Every structure is written in C-alpha cells, then in structure tokens.
Amino acid sequence: MKTQGVLPTKGSRVWSIVCACTLLPFTAYAQRAPSVPDRPWESGRAENGLHAGPGNEMKLDPAHIYTLSELIDLAEQNNPATREAWAFAKGRATLLGISRSDLYPTLVAGALGATSKDGVLINENFALQSVGEYDLVFSLSYTLLDFGERRGHIDESRAHLLAANFRFNQVHLELVSRVLAAFFRFQQAQGEVVAAEANLTSARTVREAAEQRLGLGVATVPDVLEARSAEARAVYNLESARGARQTASGDLATVLMASPPSNYKVQSLDSLPIPDTLDETAEQAISKALALRPDLLAQMEEVRAANAAVTSAHSEWYPRLMFHGDDGYLRAYGQQSPLPGAYAGANVYHAELSLNWTVFDGGRRRNEIEQARASMKRAEADVDRKRDEVSDEVWRAYSDVNTAFRQRDAATTLLTASSDSYEAALESYRLGVRNLVDLLAAERDLADARSADITARVGVLNSLAALAYSTGDLLKTTARRPAP
C-alpha cells in the first residue's frame, strides 16, 4: 500500500519556507530589465563577488634604477602569456606520454561478485536454484603488430610537442620585443622632455636678451612680446612632453604587469651602448633567421607531424595482430531445492590471439590518407610562405638599421651646426648685428635638431631590436627558463 504525500497549503508557514528556499537562487542572480530608459542598467552583481577584483600586480621599487635586462626579466616572470604558452607545451608533453603508452601491454585487475536465484521448469513446477559467484581475474591485452600506427602517433605527438616548445619560445621573443618597444618609447619621451627643458632654457635666454635690449633702448616692445610668446610656446611643449612621458611610463609598466601609475626609474638613454656598424651581412642575417626563428621552426615541426599522420593513415590498410588473456580464480556456491548447497573453486584462464583486417570500408581509409596528405601539403606551403616572410622581414630590418645609422650621423651633425648657429645668432643679437627674427629662427632650428637627435638615437636602438627579433637573436640572452 502506497502512502500519498500531502502538499503544504498556501497559507501555511511550511509553504512560505518552501517558496523562499525555491526562489532564493533565482532572485539572487535574476536579470531584470532596466526600469528607466535614461540611465544604464545596474546588474547588482558586485556584492555577489562575481566581479573580479584587481589582480596581483607587481610592485616596482621607486628607489631602484631598473636596467633593460632587469625589465625583460620581470616581464618574463610576471606576464601571463609565458605561463599560458608553458602550460600548453606541458599539455603537449602529456599527449606524447599517452601515445608512448600504446607501445606497452595493458594489465587490468578485476573482481566480480554475483548472486542469483532462478528456476528451471520441470513438468508443471519450477526447480529453484541459487548460485553465487566470486571471481578474481587479471586481464592482459597487447597489440603485437600494427604496421606503424602507434609509431606514427608517437612521431606526430613528438612533432606537436616540439612545435609547442618553439611557440613557447616565440611567446618569449614577442614579449621581449614588446618590452623593448615600450622601453624605447619611454626613452624617446624622456629624451623629448630633456630636449624641451633645454628649449625652454634657450627661449628664456632669448627673452632675457630682448628685455635687456629694450631696457637699453635698442629693441622694440613687439620684439619682447614675440620673445615671450616663444618662451610660452616652449613651456607648452615641455608640458606636452611630460604628459607623453607619463603615458609611455604607464605603457611600459603595463607590459611588466605592474600598475600604470607606478613610480619607478629606468636607466637613461646615454647609458645604453649604441653600435656604429653591423658585424654581419644581410645574407648572414637571413640565414640565421631561417635557422633560429621559433615560429618558422614550429611550422616545420607541423610538417613532420602531418607526415607522421600520413604514416598512421597508411597503417590502416594492413591487419592488426592482438593478444588478450585472462587468468583468475573462480569460487562459486550453488544450491538447488530441496538438495543441500555446495561450494566449488577453480583456477580459470582464457587466452586468444586475434588477427583483424578490414577488407572493405567504403573508401574511408583512402579518404583519410588523402586528407592527411592534403594537410601535409598545406603545412609545407605554410613553411614556404613563412620562409619568404622571414627573409623579407630580415631584409627590411637590416635596411632600416643602415638607414638609422645614417640618420643618426646626420642628426648629430645637424645638432652641432644648429647649436653653433644659435650661439652665434644670440651673440650677434646682443651686439645688435642680428635682429630678433633671425635669433628666433635659429632657436627653432636648434629645438628641431634636439628632437631629431633624440629620435635618431632611439631609432637606431629600435631598428637594432627589430633586426634581433627578425633573426631570433633576442632569445640568446633573454631565455632564462628551459622549455618543457
């Protein structure tokens, strides 16, 4: 006899508790439409802990002057891109271990306990019998021959692992390149501040000279006003340069996974060694890139993986020889009414050797081979395309370095000439030989020359970094942790 449950009525306290418990998960996370059209919707989920708080940002020491190598090391240690690529490579390593495990036999231990009571129909009655079985068994399975299928899977997994390791190095290469680019932008902005401060000093000197000549009665008020206007323009340019420096500082801190408003110091541009010439030819640089670029090497490993997949697909055309065996101990109890029960036990085993050969599959194996070959051809084409891209990238970077060298020499000559011209114009103006227009023109030329000198010096470093990235040389001094 079944008992029927009674639902609580709506007026009962039990009903209220049931409703509250049932609706609580929905009301806590329910989405409601905005109540008014003139204000944005507030989800109200911040108090539920669904909004992530600030991450564990790295703290930079404001009293320490960080060198470029230290900044690169900090970025490699803290940027999550390296940990993501490392974890992916570790996963590929486990897949290789899984593929290798197919070379070994599989041993399984099992225990079985079963009991049953059944009847055998004899004339008009059932003869009932009870049977209980307890079985302990060890099962061994092993593929003796597969004509290269397992070896193909192992070679494919090994190639994928090497490709993942090379991509792990590529992540480091790109991260170092990002640090260098942000660092040089900061150096450019910092140099522009120094140049703007020097320009303000020059503009202030011109204004003081104009006021002095006005006091002597040999200059006009418009001359003084124009000199003051030039000084105000220099102040404006200085503040703009300081703002750009703050932005560049925040960009560099972001690459380091530090807070953008971090207060820190880095080594100056003057402390960085800048070479004058390249010690290798363009052909040597291209050959080095084709041998070292991790992204190109990763694609080459993908070709090897595709080739191994073709080998595995070919093995499906051949038979597979397998062994399977069981060895165990069986103990059983049996009883048939009205006879007494009895126990029995025995060692049991089973062994089989099977040869399986797919004779017809509707073209599946043929299509799988064609698919594997198409993947291999595509991977080979990608390698050829990447080689051309790398060669062109190295050639452009090599040409940019030589151009940057010439620009730096020209900027140095320009700065020297502009400084001499400004000093001569200032002295001549004080002596009354030159007018204010000539002096202001010389001042503007000097300001442009200072900016061009900073741009040219940083340009050399940027072009050298681009060349080192395109050839893979950046990994020689920055890779501090081994690949998985």
Side-chain angles (χ1 to χ4, degrees), residues 49-92:
L50 298 180
H51 290 296
N56 296 325
E57 295 180 337
M58 183 186 59
K59 303 299 182 181
L60 295 174
D61 185 5
H64 180 69
I65 300 178
Y66 290 94
T67 63
L68 179 57
S69 60
E70 289 176 334
L71 295 176
I72 292 175
D73 189 41
L74 290 175
E76 289 183 314
Q77 292 177 8
N78 295 279
N79 198 288
T82 57
R83 297 195 295 272
E84 179 183 1
W86 179 78
F88 180 77
K90 292 289 288 184
R92 287 295 189 183

Side-chain angles (χ1 to χ4, degrees), residues 207 394 430 460:
R207 187 258 305 163
V394 173
R430 286 172 175 170
V460 171

Side-chain angles (χ1 to χ4, degrees), residues 335-455:
Q335 192 267 332
Q336 185 175 14
S337 300
L339 301 177
Y343 285 93
N347 291 319
V348 296
Y349 72 89
H350 169 76
E352 66 179 30
L353 190 64
S354 63
L355 181 67
N356 299 323
W357 195 356
T358 303
V359 179
F360 179 75
D361 60 2
R364 179 186 61 84
R365 291 172 293 180
R366 184 180 65 253
N367 290 324
E368 287 179 349
I369 292 176
E370 293 301 324
Q371 181 185 18
R373 286 175 177 171
S375 299
M376 184 179 65
K377 295 296 183 182
R378 184 182 63 182
E380 291 174 348
D382 287 341
V383 169
D384 293 337
R385 175 185 55 82
K386 191 63 179 181
R387 282 197 183 101
D388 293 338
E389 291 180 357
V390 169
S391 299
D392 181 65
E393 186 177 346
V394 173
W395 171 247
R396 285 187 283 107
Y398 191 89
S399 301
D400 290 342
V401 171
N402 290 324
T403 301
F405 283 152
R406 294 191 294 269
Q407 288 177 336
R408 183 192 58 182
D409 295 339
T412 301
T413 303
L414 176 62
L415 179 60
T416 302
S418 299
S419 298
D420 295 340
S421 176
Y422 169 76
E423 294 296 336
L426 179 61
E427 184 65 22
S428 299
Y429 177 74
R430 286 172 175 170
L431 296 176
V433 180
R434 302 279 294 272
N435 56 33
L436 184 63
V437 175
D438 296 336
L439 179 57
L440 292 178
E443 179 195 350
R444 286 192 296 270
D445 292 340
L446 178 58
D448 294 339
R450 286 169 176 156
S451 180
D453 179 67
I454 295 297
T455 301

Side-chain angles (χ1 to χ4, degrees), residues 90-285:
K90 292 289 288 184
R92 287 295 189 183
T94 59
L95 290 179
L96 177 59
I98 294 174
S99 299
R100 285 175 174 170
S101 66
D102 292 336
L103 293 175
Y104 302 94
T106 301
L107 181 62
V108 178
L112 173 64
T115 182
S116 63
K117 185 174 184 179
D118 204 352
V120 179
L121 180 62
I122 301 177
N123 294 328
E124 296 180 355
N125 297 314
F126 279 99
L128 299 179
Q129 60 182 7
S130 299
V131 177
E133 294 183 1
Y134 309 94
D135 191 7
L136 179 63
V137 63
F138 290 92
S139 177
L140 179 68
S141 300
Y142 186 43
T143 301
L144 299 176
L145 185 63
D146 61 2
F147 290 93
E149 181 183 7
R150 291 173 295 176
R151 179 55 59 186
H153 289 321
I154 292 173
D155 292 340
E156 184 179 2
S157 298
R158 182 184 293 109
H160 283 313
L161 171 60
L162 292 176
N165 286 339
F166 284 127
R167 291 193 177 96
F168 173 68
N169 291 346
Q170 180 66 22
V171 170
H172 277 275
L173 184 65
E174 293 174 354
L175 180 59
V176 172
S177 179
R178 288 176 55 196
V179 174
L180 290 176
F183 177 78
F184 293 143
R185 284 196 301 269
F186 181 69
Q187 292 293 341
Q188 173 80 29
Q190 196 161 252
E192 293 289 351
V193 171
V194 176
E197 291 173 348
N199 295 336
L200 178 58
T201 301
S202 300
R204 186 175 291 115
T205 302
V206 171
R207 187 258 305 163
E208 292 173 352
E211 290 176 349
Q212 183 179 9
R213 286 179 57 81
L214 179 63
L216 297 176
V218 293
T220 62
V221 173
D223 289 343
V224 175
L225 295 178
E226 189 170 359
R228 291 176 180 174
S229 176
E231 182 182 6
R233 187 183 306 109
V235 173
Y236 175 82
N237 292 335
L238 175 59
E239 294 303 324
S240 298
R242 288 172 175 171
R245 181 177 61 182
Q246 289 181 348
T247 301
S249 175
D251 293 341
L252 179 56
T254 301
V255 177
L256 303 178
M257 300 306 297
S259 176
S262 298
N263 182 21
Y264 63 99
K265 301 176 183 177
V266 299
Q267 64 181 125
S268 63
L269 181 63
D270 296 333
S271 63
L272 297 175
I274 303 178
D276 296 326
T277 57
L278 290 173
D279 56 355
E280 61 182 357
T281 63
E283 291 77 10
Q284 292 174 338

